[in-house]
Amino acid sequence: MAGRDGSVKLDVGVLSAEQQEKLRQFKIKTRIDNETYLMSHPEVDALIGDFLRDVLLRRPADIREFAADHFAKANLPAVIGSKIEGNSDME
């Protein structure tokens, strides 16, 4: 069943207790794995932060075109690299 925002609402009640526990454990493991990955890749945080900052400053009408242009910039690796180095100096 789709909610007003287009998201799908799952009826977990149709799962057995064992299935619910397996699902809970899967969600916990997935979250831990995701957090571990993100902590070991600070460039992801720098990329997303840089992109969101530009979006909020410029407020583009066509976000898809803006995102394509943003991530195609030739100097993006250097910009992100300098941001990561700057952040590691603060820690």
Side-chain angles (χ1 to χ4, degrees), residues 46-56 58 60 62-77 79-80 83:
L47 278 165
I48 292 170
D50 185 62
F51 174 68
L52 286 176
R53 181 185 56 80
D54 280 355
V55 166
L56 295 173
R58 298 178 187 190
D62 186 343
I63 189 71
R64 291 179 184 177
E65 183 178 339
F66 181 81
D69 291 342
H70 178 84
F71 289 108
K73 290 179 188 172
N75 69 337
L76 187 61
V79 169
I80 298 306
K83 288 185 184 218

Side-chain angles (χ1 to χ4, degrees), residues 17-80:
E18 180 182 351
Q19 290 171 323
Q20 288 180 22
E21 180 59 23
K22 284 183 180 180
L23 177 61
R24 189 180 77 77
Q25 291 298 324
F26 173 77
K27 288 179 178 182
I28 291 170
K29 182 183 180 324
T30 300
R31 175 169 272 171
I32 290 170
D33 290 347
N34 290 344
E35 288 177 11
T36 301
Y37 178 83
L38 291 173
M39 288 186 338
S40 66
H41 292 279
E43 66 275 15
V44 174
D45 186 51
L47 278 165
I48 292 170
D50 185 62
F51 174 68
L52 286 176
R53 181 185 56 80
D54 280 355
V55 166
L56 295 173
L57 286 173
R58 298 178 187 190
R59 301 190 184 270
D62 186 343
I63 189 71
R64 291 179 184 177
E65 183 178 339
F66 181 81
D69 291 342
H70 178 84
F71 289 108
K73 290 179 188 172
N75 69 337
L76 187 61
V79 169
I80 298 306

